[in-house]
Amino acid sequence: MGKAGIPSAEIRQRVADLRREIEYHNYRYYILDDPEIPDAEWDRLLQELRKLEETYPSLVSADSPTQRVGAAPTDEFAEVRHRIPMLSLDNAFSEDELRHFDRRVRERLGVDSDVEYSAEPKLDGLALSVTYERGVLVQAATRGDGTTGEDVTVNVRTIRSLPLHLRGQAPAVLEARGEVFMPIAGFERLNAEASKKGEKVFANPRNAAAGSLRQLDPRITAQRPLDIFFYSIGAVEGIELPSSHGATLELLRQFGLRVSPEIRKVRGASGCLDYYADIDRRRASLAYQIDGVVYKVDSIAAQRELGFVSRAPRWAIAHKFPAEEALTVVRDVEFQVGRTGAMTPVARLEPVFVGGVTVSNATLHNMDEVARKGVRIGDTVVVRRAGDVIPEVARVMLERRPQDSQDIVMPLWCPVCASPVERDAEAAVARCTGGYRCSAQRKERLRHFASRRALDIEGVGEKLVEQLVEAGLVESPADLYGLTLEALSALERMGPKSAENVLNALERSKSTTLARFLFALGIRDVGEATATALASHFGDIDALMAADIEAAQQVQDVGPVIAAHVVEFFAEEANRRVIERLRQAGVSWPSGKPLESAAQPLSGLTFVLTGSLESMQREEAEDALRALGAKAAGSVSKKTSYVVAGRDAGSKLKKAEELGVPVLDETALKNILSTQRPPSSDGR
Ligand code: IVH
């Protein structure tokens, strides 16, 4: 260090220039979302500044961009009294409640016309107050109880998108308020790393953000992907504030503070509701979690007139999405028997309203999952239902476990047919060994056989299958084709017209494809893709039925386990009989080997379709792609060749973008199907 020396005027100038430049590029990157230079160049500037500051320590200042992590760990946070209390918001949980809010606003203001509101996402993070004096960040504090919060300045300084200096002509004092949050991708990365190291994971991004902000060691906070959006101004000195909320947000942006790009001006209750619906639709594709939207009367004069009640303003309201998590009690656990005998533990719950519906059952997936979550009968659990996801037990509230809670045990005998239950050595799954003897398996197999992606027999769904099996009319899929008008019409709630429709649908289903037929048989682990591969490899069913494990393994993507399942299935006499009877009943498919798969135009390509298509059903499109030799998969991975995104595409589209998988729209898809050619390299 010895040669520290006194920096020349030139060096001083260079340091000042570097700081200004770095801050300018931060602004381009975080606020305008329009970076001017590559990341590597930004790194180089910071590196140069760091070097100079190391050589001339006298030049280091607390507000230098190199000093985000400046402070040493502390024992506790100091208290901060908010000059202006940090309030909370009233909630509306329904359209009615929102309309009521709007009506009261208009009554109090004495206006008939539509009120102008600022509509904003309600970020699910923590409220933060950040104070700048003469443009320099001096303090950041949590909301606390609204009057007194905690001083988290050293941690907040590590948030990359937060400027340490305001841009432009800064006022003497500016206290900006906003929400700190952790983007979902960052949260998932953080949890993945934690669980790899055997450390505790965070329950959700909000907890992760809170935990990160309240770290006593800012070096840890610095590694957490926190971000912030500002939504209001608290204390201020030395400037006049604008006359509308919208203009206030614009001012914050001009100072270089991040403001949500989703904020819109809307008119009246109907404008609010349109905004709500729009955000709700796009919710899954936002990079962060939100728990509703906030509407604020835009005119500051009107806000003043409306004033406050207790701790919340009369001029704003949070319109919340239905809660996605709720607490309830596990009354019992029953075991559901699936198509292949797999026994799934299902929690019977005290009914609870969550995610907009009443939930009284939640899957526990399998016994490993039960053990991992540590659920017992009698436990109070958190039930989660996100979007259209099946309700699941997220976690147990151990502190509420009753004395008489009971262990969940896999039964030794099937609760439906009393056959022995066996547990797969390799998988976590326990199975009923009853096969067709088990009425639960029979029903599930029939339902699967008739389902849309299998033989597509319209009208033969869960209810009818239940009736047919209970009445002893049908045991195997082959029995379906022996049904008569009389037998069907005799069933409850089945008129002659519906009975005839079912018979017609059965007739139509007889002409199918070998791939669909194989899928319909419900062979263990043979999904649509494997069924298609088997069909195109063997060309006809007799060749497949004659295959041994080695021959079956020649099929693309068929390994020893699936090959064994296939061979076992066809070795079973009962299954051969069913197949024979189905063929005798007239179930048939175009014979002969299709094109060698390598000769098909889309062979080797894997597509994932997501969102809804305008001109066709997703399944139709997938069938059409398969017919050209492509694979249609359900989830996006590095192996995916293309993702086709329809309307309201959500997480799969996001995943594709993350992995850099090319994304096609519906027009491009139609183009592929009509030209029977893969997309050209520019994705068109
Ligand atoms: S305005 C007086 N706007 O929600 C108005 N709050 O329930 C105070 N929040 O403590 C808040 N997004 O943590 C406002 N766009 C937004 C918001 C928002 C999230 C949080 C904030 C506040 C809580 C109130």
Side-chain angles (χ1 to χ4, degrees):
M1 285 264 67
K3 65 169 180 95
I6 297 169
S8 65
E10 255 163 76
I11 298 280
R12 280 174 199 281
Q13 188 57 47
R14 181 64 190 148
V15 165
D17 288 348
L18 279 168
R19 288 180 184 161
R20 206 162 355 89
E21 252 186 85
I22 291 168
E23 282 178 2
Y24 169 75
H25 291 300
N26 282 350
Y27 172 73
R28 298 284 311 209
Y29 185 89
Y30 291 112
I31 310 299
L32 302 185
D33 222 354
D34 182 21
E36 209 174 72
I37 55 169
D39 292 0
E41 177 59 17
W42 185 90
D43 289 341
R44 203 198 56 72
L45 294 173
L46 193 70
Q47 216 36 50
E48 186 186 341
L49 178 60
R50 244 192 211 125
K51 270 253 170 64
L52 288 173
E53 290 180 349
E54 265 169 33
T55 319
Y56 305 100
S58 65
L59 289 181
V60 177
S61 74
D63 61 354
S64 169
T66 58
Q67 301 300 304
R68 286 198 177 261
V69 189
T74 45
D75 296 335
E76 58 173 0
F77 299 106
E79 278 191 356
V80 174
R81 258 188 98 76
H82 299 297
R83 283 215 247 166
I84 300 173
M86 289 183 80
L87 302 174
S88 64
L89 291 168
D90 261 349
N91 293 319
F93 290 101
S94 65
E95 182 177 330
D96 273 359
E97 289 179 13
L98 178 266
R99 288 192 187 280
H100 181 70
F101 161 79
D102 173 61
R103 207 173 311 122
R104 274 210 327 252
V105 165
R106 279 181 290 125
E107 277 166 14
R108 285 195 171 259
L109 294 176
V111 296
D112 265 348
S113 53
D114 281 349
V115 173
E116 223 170 58
Y117 293 102
S118 170
E120 325 182 343
K122 185 169 190 303
L123 294 150
D124 201 5
L126 304 79
L128 191 75
S129 144
V130 184
T131 305
Y132 290 86
E133 283 177 10
R134 312 221 162 273
V136 180
L137 191 161
V138 293
Q139 188 175 68
T142 60
R143 175 171 179 274
D145 62 6
T147 314
T148 312
E150 287 178 319
D151 185 335
V152 287
T153 314
V154 292
N155 288 343
V156 168
R157 288 173 60 93
T158 68
I159 301 175
R160 300 284 191 98
S161 66
L162 182 81
L164 301 175
H165 280 138
L166 294 181
R167 289 177 61 78
Q169 269 294 334
V173 175
L174 178 84
E175 181 206 350
R177 292 176 173 184
E179 194 86 349
V180 178
F181 60 95
M182 189 178 285
I184 297 165
F187 161 73
E188 285 172 352
R189 206 174 336 112
L190 184 66
N191 265 0
E193 280 163 18
S195 74
K196 214 168 14 175
K197 286 190 242 157
E199 291 168 3
K200 197 174 139 276
V201 296
F202 288 106
N204 54 49
R206 211 187 84 82
N207 289 2
S212 303
L213 204 58
R214 302 196 66 260
Q215 272 293 332
L216 292 168
D217 184 350
R219 285 170 302 190
I220 296 181
T221 312
Q223 289 158 20
R224 302 285 171 83
L226 293 175
D227 206 341
I228 185 165
F229 280 143
F230 288 92
Y231 50 64
S232 71
I233 292 181
V236 61
E237 281 171 30
I239 39 159
E240 283 289 307
L241 287 182
S243 63
S244 74
H245 179 70
T248 307
L249 297 174
E250 187 43 45
L251 183 67
L252 287 169
R253 241 175 87 85
Q254 279 167 13
F255 282 137
L257 299 168
R258 240 156 106 77
V259 171
S260 166
E262 306 291 343
I263 297 181
R264 303 278 179 276
K265 239 182 227 180
V266 301
R267 297 190 141 270
S270 65
C272 292
L273 292 168
D274 287 348
Y275 180 82
Y276 178 89
D278 177 51
I279 292 282
D280 193 16
R281 246 194 320 272
R282 293 190 295 116
R283 186 176 177 190
S285 58
L286 294 179
Y288 40 83
Q289 280 195 343
I290 60 174
D291 57 348
V293 300
V294 184
Y295 314 118
K296 299 171 182 168
V297 171
D298 190 52
S299 149
I300 303 289
Q303 288 187 1
R304 287 221 181 84
E305 203 175 327
L306 289 160
F308 298 84
V309 256
S310 64
R311 314 208 46 93
R314 283 206 196 87
W315 43 262
I317 196 156
H319 190 176
K320 301 283 279 274
F321 294 133
E324 297 197 318
E325 287 193 347
L327 285 185
T328 190
V329 173
V330 178
R331 278 189 189 155
D332 197 5
V333 170
E334 287 172 11
F335 288 83
Q336 237 162 35
V337 185
R339 175 163 59 82
T340 57
M343 311 256 292
T344 305
V346 178
R348 305 288 178 217
L349 307 167
E350 201 64 54
V352 62
F353 193 71
V354 52
V357 298
T358 301
V359 169
S360 41
N361 302 302
T363 178
L364 288 165
H365 303 290
N366 56 50
M367 292 307 279
D368 280 2
E369 199 61 12
V370 169
R372 205 173 58 75
K373 289 186 173 147
V375 191
R376 291 169 67 86
I377 296 166
D379 269 341
T380 296
V381 293
V382 176
V383 176
R384 184 190 305 140
R385 187 181 171 279
D388 51 5
V389 175
I390 308 164
E392 60 165 5
V393 170
R395 59 188 181 276
V396 175
M397 306 287 291
L398 278 183
E399 57 278 31
R400 297 211 196 171
R401 173 165 289 169
Q403 292 269 308
D404 59 351
S405 72
Q406 283 167 275
D407 206 9
I408 298 168
V409 236
M410 175 61 68
L412 296 174
W413 290 278
C414 171
V416 179
C417 72
S419 299
V421 168
E422 86 188 359
R423 191 161 172 153
D424 285 11
E426 80 274 19
V429 187
R431 284 174 206 280
C432 155
T433 53
Y436 272 119
R437 286 188 308 283
C438 177
S439 69
Q441 288 194 47
R442 276 206 304 273
K443 285 176 196 166
E444 287 304 309
R445 287 182 191 196
L446 284 163
R447 226 157 53 100
H448 173 76
F449 185 85
S451 66
R452 200 147 55 119
R453 307 176 82 141
L455 282 224
D456 192 16
I457 314 173
E458 226 183 302
V460 182
E462 189 166 350
K463 281 222 180 77
L464 184 59
V465 164
E466 175 85 30
Q467 283 178 295
L468 291 170
V469 172
E470 290 304 320
L473 288 172
V474 171
E475 267 197 17
S476 83
D479 299 330
L480 288 171
Y481 294 95
L483 287 170
T484 60
L485 196 59
E486 296 74 56
L488 279 168
S489 333
L491 294 173
E492 233 175 279
R493 287 189 304 276
M494 174 73 80
K497 183 74 197 137
S498 328
E500 210 176 299
N501 286 345
V502 170
L503 288 181
N504 288 337
L506 278 162
E507 201 50 42
R508 276 198 307 274
S509 74
K510 286 180 183 172
S511 100
T512 185
T513 64
L514 179 55
R516 274 179 179 264
F517 183 76
L518 293 176
F519 174 62
L521 291 176
I523 306 165
R524 212 161 116 192
D525 291 338
V526 175
E528 285 177 286
T530 310
T532 308
L534 288 167
S536 59
H537 182 89
F538 287 98
D540 76 80
I541 194 159
D542 298 307
L544 172 57
M545 287 171 75
D548 58 15
I549 294 191
E550 211 153 293
Q553 275 195 75
Q554 301 305 309
V555 180
Q556 202 189 358
D557 291 338
V558 172
V561 175
I562 297 184
H565 291 160
V566 170
V567 172
E568 272 165 35
F569 183 90
F570 291 114
E572 198 157 314
E573 193 45 42
N575 292 335
R576 298 179 82 94
R577 244 193 339 263
V578 169
I579 293 167
E580 189 45 40
R581 285 179 55 213
L582 283 167
R583 293 171 85 178
Q584 272 168 15
V587 175
S588 63
W589 46 86
S591 63
K593 231 172 161 142
L595 285 178
E596 267 305 312
S597 64
Q600 290 186 241
L602 302 185
S603 60
L605 297 179
T606 302
F607 288 76
V608 173
L609 274 60
T610 178
S612 44
L613 301 172
E614 306 284 339
S615 61
M616 59 192 127
Q617 294 284 328
R618 199 145 83 194
E619 292 86 58
E620 270 179 78
E622 287 175 353
D623 280 347
L625 287 168
R626 285 196 196 99
L628 296 173
K631 273 205 255 178
S635 57
V636 182
S637 73
K638 275 187 289 195
K639 293 194 186 134
T640 309
S641 323
Y642 298 97
V643 164
V644 179
R647 200 161 15 91
D648 299 332
S651 59
K652 290 181 192 172
L653 174 57
K654 206 162 77 189
K655 185 83 186 276
E657 283 162 356
E658 274 168 28
L659 295 176
V661 173
V663 176
L664 307 174
D665 61 9
E666 184 166 351
T667 317
L669 171 69
K670 287 201 289 199
N671 213 356
I672 297 172
L673 296 179
S674 62
T675 60
Q676 309 214 326
R677 284 223 191 92
S680 50
S681 55
D682 65 355
R684 298 289 115 197

